[in-house]
Amino acid sequence: MYKKAICLFVGLLAMAVFAANGYSQTKAIGIFDGNTDIGAVKHTGNVVYDTQTQQYTVSGSGTNIWFDKDEFHFVWKRIKGDFILRTNAEFIGKGTEAHRKFGLMVRKTLDGKSPHINAVVHGDGLTSLQYRKAVGDSTKEQKSALTSADVIQLERKGSTYTMSVARKGDVFGPEEKIDLDLGDEVYVGIFVCSHNPDVIEKATFSNVRIVVPAPQGLVPYKQYLGSSIEILDMATQNSRIIYQSPKSLQAPNWMVDGKSLIYNSDGSLYKYNLATNTPTVLNTGVAKNNNNDHVLSFDGKWLTISSGDGGPSIGYVVPSNGGEARKVTVTGKGASYMHGWSPDGKYLVFCGERNKEYDVYRVPVAGGPEERLTNTPGLDDGPEYTPDGQYIYFNSVRSGLMQVWRMKADGTEQTQITNDDYNNWFPHVSPDGKWIVYITFLKSEVSPGDHPFYKHVYLRVMPVGGGPSKVVAYLYGGQGTINTPSWSPDSKHIAFVSNTSLLFPAFPISKN
């Protein structure tokens, strides 16, 4: 009995020490394993997760994250290997201290003196990459030229850490990098520090992602990462993951009743019920090798699809609820990738490969000869009608980089719409006719005529007539992200696909 009492006492003492050091709050929340007060804080922090918006509200106190030790609240997950951390974040309220902090952090341990690196935004706007190389060392800092960032990304490749930051709506500014060995397995997550031991500060974290990128040696179009279908709220730019699969899901179309999406995977098309979060295979008859070029008619009754069944991709039309596919492009001329319907339902536009040149073509839905609408060297792709039928938007490499262009429905008056230092693909016009969304690749990562999987990309929006573009989503994706029209019928949301290896799912994983 005496020995049992001693054992019980020792066990309780150990648990008390464990709790005092902030190691006890290990209940999983959202994508994270636990949340912990680091160091001897006076006021306990916490985190609240909103399952509907997938946002985290973090409360934290603490003297500082500086010198030889840290005090703050940390929401964390243990992971190995390369990763990309990303979030949008903002403080709640005016605050007390100019150097209150929120950000992304990677730590070797949960001890207050642990080596670490963090991408941090201070209350006065200072944005920096801070790090401690060894236990109890003094913290060092690399300041960003950008202040008051509210989009933060911290990426690890091997032992190199890269911070990228932006103000919401802008592309990322200049990077800050450091080589730092924290070991393979680390704690990663989001944090808040009040910079005043007597105060608790709060911050909201949106679009929180832990991405496991493609490994070296991944063979494109043979090997795939997992996929997340996301719904972006255009008013807030907050994105929710609604479905995840270890397979490659691509190109979600929004059906005109607003109740379902259509996407492709493994050669099939799927109808995804937004209310039940379940997909079902769509019957496409003889077309059994469908790719990510599939578009609904304006009335929602038909799909034009692209399928390569034993040869180059061919265009078909099929009822939107499934049925037998009817061929609309000619076999033997070259590949055809279907991209748009005219609002009156009479014509289809597509990217056609003819004599090793890729151009925009138009063909009658009822059948008939195809008509070439562009005739310039290089790739012209992604044609799509405006809702009034007056114009066709497309992307073209004719100016050197891939840019968004517009022409009249008969192919005349071809005009460049974007003109920047990026590669811009697949313009999609909102149903209300006011906006276009398109995907942007970095020219340092891709060649102008390519839109590969698994890259850092932006989704950007601009007025339909041209004007300044703003970023509405920062993500890891590319091929299959928004190859098809992605707007909700009310023009308030966009559906898209992002990618990760899905070691750390943010949503129940499907086996489909």
PDB file of all heavy atoms in Angstrom, residues 45-62:
ATOM      1  N   GLY A  45      -3.354  30.826 -22.169  1.00  0.00           N
ATOM      2  CA  GLY A  45      -3.912  31.097 -23.482  1.00  0.00           C
ATOM      3  C   GLY A  45      -4.824  29.976 -23.937  1.00  0.00           C
ATOM      4  O   GLY A  45      -4.936  28.932 -23.278  1.00  0.00           O
ATOM      5  N   ASN A  46      -5.468  30.172 -25.071  1.00  0.00           N
ATOM      6  CA  ASN A  46      -6.311  29.111 -25.608  1.00  0.00           C
ATOM      7  C   ASN A  46      -6.555  29.342 -27.093  1.00  0.00           C
ATOM      8  O   ASN A  46      -6.115  30.340 -27.671  1.00  0.00           O
ATOM      9  CB  ASN A  46      -7.636  29.001 -24.847  1.00  0.00           C
ATOM     10  CG  ASN A  46      -8.607  30.106 -25.196  1.00  0.00           C
ATOM     11  OD1 ASN A  46      -8.202  31.206 -25.571  1.00  0.00           O
ATOM     12  ND2 ASN A  46      -9.895  29.829 -25.083  1.00  0.00           N
ATOM     13  N   VAL A  47      -7.275  28.408 -27.705  1.00  0.00           N
ATOM     14  CA  VAL A  47      -7.636  28.515 -29.112  1.00  0.00           C
ATOM     15  C   VAL A  47      -9.071  28.036 -29.279  1.00  0.00           C
ATOM     16  O   VAL A  47      -9.492  27.074 -28.637  1.00  0.00           O
ATOM     17  CB  VAL A  47      -6.686  27.692 -30.004  1.00  0.00           C
ATOM     18  CG1 VAL A  47      -6.643  26.228 -29.591  1.00  0.00           C
ATOM     19  CG2 VAL A  47      -7.076  27.804 -31.482  1.00  0.00           C
ATOM     20  N   VAL A  48      -9.824  28.740 -30.112  1.00  0.00           N
ATOM     21  CA  VAL A  48     -11.189  28.362 -30.454  1.00  0.00           C
ATOM     22  C   VAL A  48     -11.234  28.135 -31.958  1.00  0.00           C
ATOM     23  O   VAL A  48     -10.823  28.998 -32.744  1.00  0.00           O
ATOM     24  CB  VAL A  48     -12.198  29.450 -30.043  1.00  0.00           C
ATOM     25  CG1 VAL A  48     -13.598  29.071 -30.511  1.00  0.00           C
ATOM     26  CG2 VAL A  48     -12.166  29.673 -28.541  1.00  0.00           C
ATOM     27  N   TYR A  49     -11.738  26.965 -32.357  1.00  0.00           N
ATOM     28  CA  TYR A  49     -11.804  26.604 -33.771  1.00  0.00           C
ATOM     29  C   TYR A  49     -13.247  26.629 -34.242  1.00  0.00           C
ATOM     30  O   TYR A  49     -14.116  25.985 -33.647  1.00  0.00           O
ATOM     31  CB  TYR A  49     -11.203  25.219 -33.984  1.00  0.00           C
ATOM     32  CG  TYR A  49     -11.262  24.725 -35.408  1.00  0.00           C
ATOM     33  CD1 TYR A  49     -10.619  25.416 -36.428  1.00  0.00           C
ATOM     34  CD2 TYR A  49     -11.945  23.551 -35.739  1.00  0.00           C
ATOM     35  CE1 TYR A  49     -10.658  24.972 -37.736  1.00  0.00           C
ATOM     36  CE2 TYR A  49     -11.987  23.088 -37.046  1.00  0.00           C
ATOM     37  CZ  TYR A  49     -11.347  23.810 -38.036  1.00  0.00           C
ATOM     38  OH  TYR A  49     -11.381  23.361 -39.341  1.00  0.00           O
ATOM     39  N   ASP A  50     -13.522  27.369 -35.309  1.00  0.00           N
ATOM     40  CA  ASP A  50     -14.843  27.443 -35.910  1.00  0.00           C
ATOM     41  C   ASP A  50     -14.904  26.420 -37.048  1.00  0.00           C
ATOM     42  O   ASP A  50     -14.266  26.603 -38.090  1.00  0.00           O
ATOM     43  CB  ASP A  50     -15.107  28.856 -36.440  1.00  0.00           C
ATOM     44  CG  ASP A  50     -16.535  29.055 -36.941  1.00  0.00           C
ATOM     45  OD1 ASP A  50     -17.107  28.111 -37.511  1.00  0.00           O
ATOM     46  OD2 ASP A  50     -17.062  30.163 -36.777  1.00  0.00           O
ATOM     47  N   THR A  51     -15.661  25.355 -36.858  1.00  0.00           N
ATOM     48  CA  THR A  51     -15.703  24.291 -37.854  1.00  0.00           C
ATOM     49  C   THR A  51     -16.384  24.721 -39.152  1.00  0.00           C
ATOM     50  O   THR A  51     -16.130  24.133 -40.209  1.00  0.00           O
ATOM     51  CB  THR A  51     -16.426  23.053 -37.296  1.00  0.00           C
ATOM     52  OG1 THR A  51     -17.753  23.429 -36.888  1.00  0.00           O
ATOM     53  CG2 THR A  51     -15.677  22.474 -36.107  1.00  0.00           C
ATOM     54  N   GLN A  52     -17.238  25.742 -39.085  1.00  0.00           N
ATOM     55  CA  GLN A  52     -17.924  26.203 -40.292  1.00  0.00           C
ATOM     56  C   GLN A  52     -17.008  27.027 -41.191  1.00  0.00           C
ATOM     57  O   GLN A  52     -16.981  26.833 -42.411  1.00  0.00           O
ATOM     58  CB  GLN A  52     -19.160  27.024 -39.901  1.00  0.00           C
ATOM     59  CG  GLN A  52     -20.227  26.216 -39.174  1.00  0.00           C
ATOM     60  CD  GLN A  52     -20.749  25.061 -39.996  1.00  0.00           C
ATOM     61  OE1 GLN A  52     -21.111  25.232 -41.158  1.00  0.00           O
ATOM     62  NE2 GLN A  52     -20.797  23.875 -39.395  1.00  0.00           N
ATOM     63  N   THR A  53     -16.267  27.954 -40.596  1.00  0.00           N
ATOM     64  CA  THR A  53     -15.376  28.807 -41.381  1.00  0.00           C
ATOM     65  C   THR A  53     -13.957  28.262 -41.461  1.00  0.00           C
ATOM     66  O   THR A  53     -13.146  28.748 -42.249  1.00  0.00           O
ATOM     67  CB  THR A  53     -15.315  30.221 -40.774  1.00  0.00           C
ATOM     68  OG1 THR A  53     -14.736  30.142 -39.457  1.00  0.00           O
ATOM     69  CG2 THR A  53     -16.699  30.841 -40.688  1.00  0.00           C
ATOM     70  N   GLN A  54     -13.636  27.270 -40.612  1.00  0.00           N
ATOM     71  CA  GLN A  54     -12.292  26.708 -40.495  1.00  0.00           C
ATOM     72  C   GLN A  54     -11.273  27.778 -40.093  1.00  0.00           C
ATOM     73  O   GLN A  54     -10.123  27.754 -40.518  1.00  0.00           O
ATOM     74  CB  GLN A  54     -11.894  25.983 -41.778  1.00  0.00           C
ATOM     75  CG  GLN A  54     -12.801  24.803 -42.094  1.00  0.00           C
ATOM     76  CD  GLN A  54     -12.492  24.108 -43.403  1.00  0.00           C
ATOM     77  OE1 GLN A  54     -11.577  24.474 -44.127  1.00  0.00           O
ATOM     78  NE2 GLN A  54     -13.279  23.103 -43.739  1.00  0.00           N
ATOM     79  N   GLN A  55     -11.704  28.688 -39.238  1.00  0.00           N
ATOM     80  CA  GLN A  55     -10.837  29.735 -38.703  1.00  0.00           C
ATOM     81  C   GLN A  55     -10.492  29.437 -37.246  1.00  0.00           C
ATOM     82  O   GLN A  55     -11.269  28.820 -36.512  1.00  0.00           O
ATOM     83  CB  GLN A  55     -11.522  31.093 -38.790  1.00  0.00           C
ATOM     84  CG  GLN A  55     -11.764  31.578 -40.218  1.00  0.00           C
ATOM     85  CD  GLN A  55     -12.571  32.856 -40.260  1.00  0.00           C
ATOM     86  OE1 GLN A  55     -13.606  32.968 -39.614  1.00  0.00           O
ATOM     87  NE2 GLN A  55     -12.111  33.824 -41.037  1.00  0.00           N
ATOM     88  N   TYR A  56      -9.310  29.914 -36.828  1.00  0.00           N
ATOM     89  CA  TYR A  56      -8.829  29.734 -35.461  1.00  0.00           C
ATOM     90  C   TYR A  56      -8.714  31.104 -34.795  1.00  0.00           C
ATOM     91  O   TYR A  56      -8.134  32.035 -35.383  1.00  0.00           O
ATOM     92  CB  TYR A  56      -7.444  29.090 -35.449  1.00  0.00           C
ATOM     93  CG  TYR A  56      -7.365  27.744 -36.133  1.00  0.00           C
ATOM     94  CD1 TYR A  56      -7.285  27.647 -37.527  1.00  0.00           C
ATOM     95  CD2 TYR A  56      -7.358  26.563 -35.401  1.00  0.00           C
ATOM     96  CE1 TYR A  56      -7.202  26.428 -38.162  1.00  0.00           C
ATOM     97  CE2 TYR A  56      -7.275  25.327 -36.022  1.00  0.00           C
ATOM     98  CZ  TYR A  56      -7.195  25.268 -37.402  1.00  0.00           C
ATOM     99  OH  TYR A  56      -7.115  24.049 -38.027  1.00  0.00           O
ATOM    100  N   THR A  57      -9.247  31.239 -33.592  1.00  0.00           N
ATOM    101  CA  THR A  57      -9.035  32.436 -32.782  1.00  0.00           C
ATOM    102  C   THR A  57      -8.123  32.041 -31.623  1.00  0.00           C
ATOM    103  O   THR A  57      -8.490  31.198 -30.794  1.00  0.00           O
ATOM    104  CB  THR A  57     -10.357  32.999 -32.250  1.00  0.00           C
ATOM    105  OG1 THR A  57     -11.201  33.329 -33.357  1.00  0.00           O
ATOM    106  CG2 THR A  57     -10.118  34.245 -31.417  1.00  0.00           C
ATOM    107  N   VAL A  58      -6.937  32.633 -31.595  1.00  0.00           N
ATOM    108  CA  VAL A  58      -5.918  32.268 -30.614  1.00  0.00           C
ATOM    109  C   VAL A  58      -5.743  33.410 -29.616  1.00  0.00           C
ATOM    110  O   VAL A  58      -5.600  34.580 -30.011  1.00  0.00           O
ATOM    111  CB  VAL A  58      -4.572  31.963 -31.303  1.00  0.00           C
ATOM    112  CG1 VAL A  58      -3.508  31.569 -30.260  1.00  0.00           C
ATOM    113  CG2 VAL A  58      -4.730  30.853 -32.333  1.00  0.00           C
ATOM    114  N   SER A  59      -5.760  33.077 -28.326  1.00  0.00           N
ATOM    115  CA  SER A  59      -5.511  34.028 -27.240  1.00  0.00           C
ATOM    116  C   SER A  59      -4.173  33.685 -26.597  1.00  0.00           C
ATOM    117  O   SER A  59      -3.897  32.507 -26.328  1.00  0.00           O
ATOM    118  CB  SER A  59      -6.611  33.956 -26.183  1.00  0.00           C
ATOM    119  OG  SER A  59      -7.873  34.201 -26.749  1.00  0.00           O
ATOM    120  N   GLY A  60      -3.361  34.702 -26.339  1.00  0.00           N
ATOM    121  CA  GLY A  60      -2.067  34.442 -25.723  1.00  0.00           C
ATOM    122  C   GLY A  60      -1.561  35.623 -24.939  1.00  0.00           C
ATOM    123  O   GLY A  60      -1.855  36.776 -25.258  1.00  0.00           O
ATOM    124  N   SER A  61      -0.795  35.323 -23.898  1.00  0.00           N
ATOM    125  CA  SER A  61      -0.121  36.379 -23.132  1.00  0.00           C
ATOM    126  C   SER A  61       1.387  36.202 -23.329  1.00  0.00           C
ATOM    127  O   SER A  61       1.817  35.845 -24.418  1.00  0.00           O
ATOM    128  CB  SER A  61      -0.531  36.313 -21.661  1.00  0.00           C
ATOM    129  OG  SER A  61      -0.150  35.082 -21.081  1.00  0.00           O
ATOM    130  N   GLY A  62       2.194  36.437 -22.292  1.00  0.00           N
ATOM    131  CA  GLY A  62       3.626  36.214 -22.402  1.00  0.00           C
ATOM    132  C   GLY A  62       4.430  37.492 -22.519  1.00  0.00           C
ATOM    133  O   GLY A  62       3.989  38.482 -23.108  1.00  0.00           O
TER     134      GLY A  62
END
